């Protein structure tokens, strides 16, 4: 299931070089040479009429050729047509259609000529035709009314376009009409019905024609088809005829085949060599005929023959003359057959046998041009020289024409020309240009010097030595710079100069020298050859079988030459991997996740380098549970059996191993499926046994290695006849629920087991070992009957028999049951306890008499519980434990006891009803045991030579502690233990100071407790004494200070202790019982900012160090400021504030105006008197021109009245920032404590006898507050 393939790039190169070998030498473009056509448009050139027409003609030559065109055989002057341009340095024409030109105006036959001083080359005749996509002609389409079973042809008749359109049929919803052997489209586009059916009735049969060149689609009018069935037609006829008319449509009758296309028995077909041959036969008939093809007197060509359109079309590709002959199509159905013979003739347009090739000659040399072609009919050969028929061309004495050959002898430079060979017949023509170039040139090597060739080991090496010279140079090869000439069978020397090493080896690596010489000179060139190791797949992908929705992986591990870079490509079924994220391509593998059925196929790993390619393939088989069976059928119906058959579903690549048959009883348990039987996977029928009075349905489940399929669809139902019951109820039991009854139970028969209607049960019982008659009762279809008034726990014989309306089942078997149990009456006696050790005791008792049990003896239960611990007198909750000993056992072990404790126990007998009375409590004590380990061991206060040990007593002393045992030993730097020291400590001690220890030493301690029984488990710890030269540093945190704001506080502290301590800050609301909130300090900083605090709230705070148990600072309390700042921020933008400020400003302005008016009246005021008395030069009169005031100052010093705040003074606790004093501010006077305006507007507070302002108190400023703060005071 695995394939591997390797392709060497050298082999591909070999093909290229061999092709190059048979071609003529190319003349370097720096040498004189006639023109050569390098590119031209196709002979039959259909153009899009909406786009510019580009007619290509490219040529090379030296000197560069000039170009001219003919149209329909006459010179085409492009300069006279403004729509036509020629590309620079090219012969390509561009006809501008998009700017007003019409493509139809440029239809015709065009030919390009490329000319220089050495000759002229011509192109093919290029026929230019614009594409056409005409509309359908208007036509009235009558509805097609067809009788069921008749044939029908819906004609498309598309408009004639250029090129011909592609035809397809669709409906109004643009959905392709389904086609089959019965309904299909012919090669001419018509839709053929071999026979019509009622489902063919529709009104939207639409033929579409798609013109690819213009990317347009034309639509025919919808065609209506109505099919009359025979039943409906008969009903119509009966309704329209009288009772006396005897007429009826014939039923649908089967008919033998007849051919709808082609007509007749024979026809002819001509096809050209190399084309695709399409032959068609479509037949009518009922049932639908099947088509078969044969070739009379021969076989259909293998690998080139294909059947299409449900075998109605025979397709043979790349036909040749050998495919001519008679082809017969045979249409057959059960009523007969018909046939048609198509006589095929294969003609051939001319094709080359030997096309002329360029000829490079030196002066005086001879040469030939050969032009040989074939065709059917045989083509004629004609020669032209420089585009002119050779018969009227200028004569050349060195040239002689001999049919399909031109012979040149003793050529001279003037013999250079371009010759055209034309081979033509009625089906086409061939035109080839070949020049004769007469040159005298010394050798040239065209291959680059020191070119590096790389090949794979054991593959061919092709080393190029492209050359030119005239006369043609001779080529020789040498290995190495001074090596000998290469000869022998291990080398192949090609005419184009290539050296071939058929099988390259490692020693083939090296330098190769190519030497070219002719009579005019010699030249050489060196190239390099490297032989590389081949690429190999050393771990190939392997065949995989995987379940649906599983994961699978293919490996592809490669080995390659270290100098080559490989690329790995994965393919599925020789195509790209699906674009699906489930496909994961790794370095050495391909993984497919959640595999589905569509992933089944062949996966190929391809490894490519620049020199070779290798591949390996593996098949993935996706398996799954089988598909459900179908087409279930019941046959051979009998009273007690039936045969079931089915068709298996798809096995999904895993063979079906078995089929499971299930049944449903639709009469008694509808919807419930039961197992019936299982048969091997190779079996598709089974004989099934049936029960009476069951309405059966069956279904089948297929099973393979993967699992079970879904169930099939149910079969039809089958109801069997009634009969007597075949069996009696099962699991009959007699167990009393009360001391005076007997409860008889059984499992009722299932519905299908009743075998008929009226299912009942006859219940019979009698006391065992007593000569009593059977007591019987018939009950309905239940599963329990209670017999009352029975003695306590006595045996009974019981039987239950089924019966229905048709009779009784066979006699049932008897079972033994018992009437109801009662509680035991007697407690076990002589209970003894033997203590084995401190945790285990053994208890013994005497069994009770069986009669006193009054039921089935189930065993004994021992109840025991701990009364108290002998080492601790504290009371505790008593938890009773229970151990059950099954059967008639008279002793048992009590494990898990606690040492040195007092216990009690009692024993009780147990039957099915419950427990009997308890025996008297028995007291026993457990002896002492070893204690548990001390509850803790803590080592503190390390000094130079001492350690303090503290411990807790054992959780479970298990006795009386007599002492503690301490052992310790030093540990050196290499973790080796020193001598062990042991100390015994009294049991009442809980701490110890160990002295005389070594400084800076680690000690390991072992500590346990002892009772009189022995030592308990130990606890271990390690500790280190401190170094002698370092004084012990007792860490502490002090001087915790806080600077609180409204919603945050800055906490700082001082720390003394070891470096690298990690601090944390704990805080909470003062006086609150809530837990402390903890914030970790980043790094070892000695400050932290607490954020998110509530304004106006008292907080408690403390600082601690991580890792130092119980090490914290003392608490500090601070209070955040009131919520003021938030009001200051936005007050200036509040509307009420702006209005208030405007009112204050207006009031001040009015007061100033009044003051101004009073002053202008010249009256004497107290202020004026003081001004005149002191005549202070700093007091300026008010300027009338600008309306400003002079400054009013106190007579006291500025230092007294306007002393500014000291730098660094703290912001008040209400967070209000004070404005600096201003000497010329009216606010001081207008808002001062004593300053106010008199009625006449003069300032009276300033001169009221006080010499200085009141000192600032509290949070007040030495000046009036700013307007913002003034407003805050109102809030």
């Amino acid at each position: 299931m695995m394939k591997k393939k390797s392709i060497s790039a050298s082999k591909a190169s070999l093909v290229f070089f061999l092709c190059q070998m048979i071609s003529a030498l190319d003349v370097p473009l720096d040498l004189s040479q006639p023109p050569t056509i390098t590119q031209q448009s196709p002979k039959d050139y259909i153009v899009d009429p909406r786009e510019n027409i580009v007619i290509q003609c490219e040529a090379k030559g030296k000197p560069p050729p000039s170009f001219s065109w003919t149209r329909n055989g006459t010179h085409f002057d492009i300069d006279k047509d403004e729509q036509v341009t020629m590309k620079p340095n090219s012969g390509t024409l561009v006809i501008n259609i998009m700017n007003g030109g019409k493509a139809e105006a440029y239809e015709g036959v065009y030919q390009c000529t490329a000319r220089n001083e050495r000759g002229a080359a011509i192109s093919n005749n290029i026929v230019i035709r614009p594409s056409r996509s005409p509309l359908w002609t208007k036509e009235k389409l009558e509805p097609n009314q067809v009788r069921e079973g008749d044939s029908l042809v819906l004609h498309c008749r598309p408009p004639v376009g250029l090129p011909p359109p592609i035809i397809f049929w669709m409906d109004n919803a643009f959905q392709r009409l389904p086609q089959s052997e019965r309904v299909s489209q012919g090669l001419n586009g018509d839709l053929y019905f071999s026979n019509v059916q009622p489902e063919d009735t529709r009104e939207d049969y639409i033929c579409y024609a798609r013109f690819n060149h213009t990317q347009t689609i034309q639509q025919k009018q919808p065609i209506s088809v109505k099919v009359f069935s025979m039943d409906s037609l008969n009903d119509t006829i009966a309704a329209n005829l009288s009772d006396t008319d005897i007429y009826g449509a014939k039923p649908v009758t089967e008919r033998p085949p007849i051919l709808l296309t082609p007509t007749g028995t024979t026809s002819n077909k001509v096809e050209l060599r190399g084309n695709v041959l399409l032959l068609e036969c479509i037949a009518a008939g009922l049932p639908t005929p099947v088509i078969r093809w044969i070739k009379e007197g021969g076989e259909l060509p293998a690998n080139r023959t294909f059947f299409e359109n449900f075998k109605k079309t025979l397709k043979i590709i790349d036909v040749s003359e050998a495919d001519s002959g008679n082809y017969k199509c045979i249409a057959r159905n059960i009523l007969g057959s018909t046939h048609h013979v198509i006589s095929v003739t294969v003609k051939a347009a001319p094709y080359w046998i030997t096309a002329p090739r360029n000829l490079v000659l030196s002066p005086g040399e001879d040469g030939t041009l050969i032009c040989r072609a074939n065709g059917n009919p045989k083509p004629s050969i004609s020669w032209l020289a420089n585009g002119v028929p050779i018969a009227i061309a200028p004569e050349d004495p060195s040239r002689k024409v001999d049919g399909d050959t031109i012979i040149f002898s003793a050529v001279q430079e003037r013999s250079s020309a371009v010759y055209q060979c034309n081979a033509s017949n009625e089906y086409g023509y061939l035109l080839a240009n070949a020049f004769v170039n007469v040159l005298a040139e010394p050798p040239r090597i065209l291959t680059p010097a020191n070119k590096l060739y790389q090949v794979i080991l054991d593959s061919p090496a092709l080393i190029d030595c492209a050359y030119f010279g005239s006369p043609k140079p001779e080529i020789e090869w040498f290995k190495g710079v001074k090596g000998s000439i290469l000869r022998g069978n291990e080398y192949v020397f090609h005419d184009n100069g290539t050296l071939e090493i058929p099988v390259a080896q490692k020693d083939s690596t090296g330098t190769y020298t190519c030497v070219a010489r002719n009579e005019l000179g010699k030249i050489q060139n060196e190239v390099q050859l490297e032989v590389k190791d081949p690429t190999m797949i050393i771990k190939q992908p392997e065949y995989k079988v995987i379940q649906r929705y599983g994961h699978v992986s293919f490996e592809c591990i490669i080995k390659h030459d270290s100098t080559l870079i490989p690329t790995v490509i994965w393919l599925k079924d020789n195509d790209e991997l699906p674009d699906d994220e489930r496909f994961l391509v790794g370095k050495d593998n391909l993984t497919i996740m959640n595999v589905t059925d569509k992933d089944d196929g062949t996966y190929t790993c391809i490894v490519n380098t620049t020199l070779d390619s290798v591949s390996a393939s593996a098949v993935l088989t996706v398996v799954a549970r089988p598909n459900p069976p179908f087409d279930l059928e019941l046959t051979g119906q009998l009273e007690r059996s039936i045969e079931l058959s089915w068709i298996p579903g798809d096995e999904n690549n895993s063979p079906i191993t078995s089929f499971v048959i299930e049944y449903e009883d639709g009469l008694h348990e509808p919807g419930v499926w039961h197992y019936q039987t299982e048969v091997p996977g190779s079996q598709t029928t089974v004989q099934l046994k049936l029960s009476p009075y069951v309405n059966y349905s069956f279904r089948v489940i297929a099973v393979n290695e993967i699992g079970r399929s879904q169930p099939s669809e149910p079969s039809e139902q089958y109801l069997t006849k009634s009969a007597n019951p075949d069996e009696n109820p099962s699991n009959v039991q007699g167990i009393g629920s009360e001391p005076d009854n007997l409860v008889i139970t059984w499992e009722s028969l299932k519905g299908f087991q009743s075998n008929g209607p009226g299912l009942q049960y006859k219940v019979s019982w009698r006391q065992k070992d007593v000569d009593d008659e059977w007591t019987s009762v018939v009950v309905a279809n239940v599963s329990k009957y209670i017999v009352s008034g029975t003695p306590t726990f006595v045996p009974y014989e019981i039987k239950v028999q089924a019966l229905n309306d048709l009779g009784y089942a066979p006699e049932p078997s008897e079972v033994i049951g018992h009437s109801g149990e009662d509680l035991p009456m007697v407690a076990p006696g002589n209970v003894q306890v033997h203590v084995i050790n401190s945790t285990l005791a053994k208890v013994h008792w005497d069994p009770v008499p069986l009669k006193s049990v009054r039921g089935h003896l189930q065993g004994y239960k021992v109840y025991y519980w701990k009364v108290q611990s002998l080492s601790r007198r504290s009371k505790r909750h008593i938890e009773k434990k229970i151990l059950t000993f099954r059967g008639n056992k008279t002793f048992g072990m009590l494990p898990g006891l606690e040492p040195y404790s007092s216990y009690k126990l009692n024993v009780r007998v147990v039957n099915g009803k419950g427990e009997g009375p308890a025996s008297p409590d028995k007291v026993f004590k457990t002896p002492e045991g070893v204690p548990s380990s001390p509850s803790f061991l803590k080592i503190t206060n390390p000094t130079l030579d001492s350690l303090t040990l503290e411990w807790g007593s054992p959780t479970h002393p298990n006795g009386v502690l007599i002492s503690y045992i301490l052992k310790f030993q030093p540990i050196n730097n290499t973790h080796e233990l020193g001598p062990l020291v042991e100390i015994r400590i009294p049991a009442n001690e809980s701490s110890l100071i160990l002295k005389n220890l070594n400084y800076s030493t680690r000690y390991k301690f072992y500590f346990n407790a002892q009772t009189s029984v022995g030592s308990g488990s130990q606890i271990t710890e390690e500790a280190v004494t401190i170094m002698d030269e370092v004084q012990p540093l007792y860490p502490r945190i002090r001087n915790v200070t806080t600077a609180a704001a409204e919603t945050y506080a800055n906490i700082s502290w001082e720390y003394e202790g070891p470096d690298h301590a990690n601090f944390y800050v704990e805080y909470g609301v003062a006086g609150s019982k809530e837990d402390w909130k903890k914030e970790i300090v980043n790094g070892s900083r000695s400050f932290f900012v607490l954020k998110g605090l509530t304004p106006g709230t008292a907080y408690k705070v403390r600082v601690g160090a991580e890792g130092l148990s119980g090490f914290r600072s003392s608490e500090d309390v601070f209070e955040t400021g009131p919520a003021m700042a938030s009001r200051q921020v936005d007050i200036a933008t509040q509307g009420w504030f702006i209005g208030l400020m405007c009112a204050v400003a207006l009031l001040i302005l009015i007061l100033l105006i009044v003051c101004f008016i009073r002053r202008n009246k010249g009256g004497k005021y107290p202020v004026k008197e003081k001004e005149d008395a002191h005549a202070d030069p700093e007091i300026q009169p008010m300027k009338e021109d600008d309306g400003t005031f002079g400054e009013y100052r106190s007579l006291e010093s500025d230092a007294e009245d306007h002393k500014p705040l000291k730098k660094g003074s703290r912001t008040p606790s209400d967070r209000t920032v004070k404005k600096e004093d201003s000497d010329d501010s009216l606010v001081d006077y207008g808002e001062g404590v004593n300053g106010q305006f008199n009625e006449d507007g003069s300032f009276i507070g300033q001169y009221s006898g006080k010499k200085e302002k009141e000192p600032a108190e509290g949070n007040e400023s030495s000046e009036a507050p700013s307007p913002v703060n003034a407003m805050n005071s109102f809030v």
Side-chain angles (χ1 to χ4, degrees), residues 23-29 31-36 60 118 356-369 408 410-413 415-419 433-444 446 467-473 518 520:
S23 63
L25 294 179
D26 286 336
V27 181
L29 282 177
L31 298 178
S32 296
Q33 56 185 293
T36 300
K60 65 178 181 177
R118 287 192 166 246
R357 292 183 290 164
N358 292 337
L359 192 60
V360 179
L361 301 173
S362 63
E365 276 192 314
D366 301 335
T368 58
L369 287 179
F408 297 92
V411 296
Q412 299 301 319
E413 187 173 352
S415 301
S416 296
V418 182
Y419 292 88
N433 289 277
F435 64 68
V436 176
N437 195 16
V438 181
L439 293 172
E441 283 293 325
R444 295 185 181 190
L446 307 178
Y467 65 90
F468 182 79
S470 185
K472 182 179 179 180
N518 67 9
L520 300 179

Side-chain angles (χ1 to χ4, degrees), residues 1166-1205:
V1167 175
K1168 182 66 175 172
E1169 292 174 357
K1170 289 193 177 186
E1171 289 175 353
D1172 295 338
H1174 294 282
D1176 191 338
E1178 299 227 352
I1179 299 176
Q1180 301 294 331
M1182 184 175 64
K1183 299 177 181 178
E1184 297 182 4
D1185 55 349
D1186 58 3
T1188 59
F1189 288 98
E1191 291 188 359
Y1192 285 86
R1193 293 182 179 270
S1194 169
L1195 297 180
E1196 302 296 324
S1197 170
D1198 284 343
E1200 295 291 333
D1201 291 332
H1202 304 288
K1203 186 179 295 182
L1205 293 174

Side-chain angles (χ1 to χ4, degrees), residues 1183-1241:
K1183 299 177 181 178
E1184 297 182 4
D1185 55 349
D1186 58 3
T1188 59
F1189 288 98
E1191 291 188 359
Y1192 285 86
R1193 293 182 179 270
S1194 169
L1195 297 180
E1196 302 296 324
S1197 170
D1198 284 343
E1200 295 291 333
D1201 291 332
H1202 304 288
K1203 186 179 295 182
L1205 293 174
K1206 293 182 181 179
K1207 290 184 180 179
S1209 62
R1210 288 197 174 189
T1211 301
S1213 60
D1214 64 355
R1215 305 292 295 159
T1216 302
V1217 180
K1218 301 301 182 291
K1219 182 180 177 182
E1220 292 184 2
D1221 290 344
S1222 174
D1223 289 344
D1224 57 356
S1225 175
L1226 289 176
V1227 179
D1228 278 344
Y1229 301 98
E1231 300 269 356
V1233 176
N1234 299 313
Q1236 52 184 317
F1237 286 104
N1238 202 355
E1239 291 180 358
D1240 60 356

Side-chain angles (χ1 to χ4, degrees), residues 673-722:
W673 290 90
H674 303 276
Y675 173 84
Q676 173 86 7
T677 187
E678 187 169 353
V679 298
S682 58
Q683 188 173 328
T684 57
T685 61
V686 63
Q687 194 76 20
L688 300 174
K689 293 182 179 181
L690 306 179
S691 295
Y693 195 54
V694 177
N695 193 12
Y696 281 100
S697 290
F698 298 97
R699 69 183 187 184
V700 183
I701 299 172
V703 182
N704 63 9
E705 289 186 358
I706 310 306
R708 295 160 63 103
S709 72
Q710 292 294 319
S712 67
E713 291 296 322
S715 70
E716 59 181 318
Q717 292 186 332
Y718 178 61
L719 178 63
T720 55
K721 295 181 179 180
S722 301

Side-chain angles (χ1 to χ4, degrees), residues 872 932-936 951-957 961 964 987 989-990 1007 1009:
R872 298 178 181 175
S932 63
S933 62
S935 56
F936 68 88
W951 60 86
S953 60
T955 306
H956 301 285
L961 294 182
Y964 292 100
E989 296 290 341
S990 61
F1007 193 70

Side-chain angles (χ1 to χ4, degrees), residues 1-4 540-545 554 600-604 616-622 653:
M1 303 300 289
M2 185 168 53
K3 302 176 182 177
K4 183 178 179 182
Q540 302 179 11
E542 298 177 347
Y543 172 71
K544 299 281 187 178
V545 178
F554 291 106
D600 201 277
T602 301
Y603 290 84
T604 304
S617 300
V619 174
L620 173 63
T621 300
V622 180
N653 296 324

Side-chain angles (χ1 to χ4, degrees), residues 418-440:
V418 182
Y419 292 88
Q420 290 82 32
C421 173
N422 186 303
S424 61
N425 65 10
E426 61 185 280
Y427 298 108
Y429 74 93
L430 293 173
L431 178 68
N433 289 277
F435 64 68
V436 176
N437 195 16
V438 181
L439 293 172

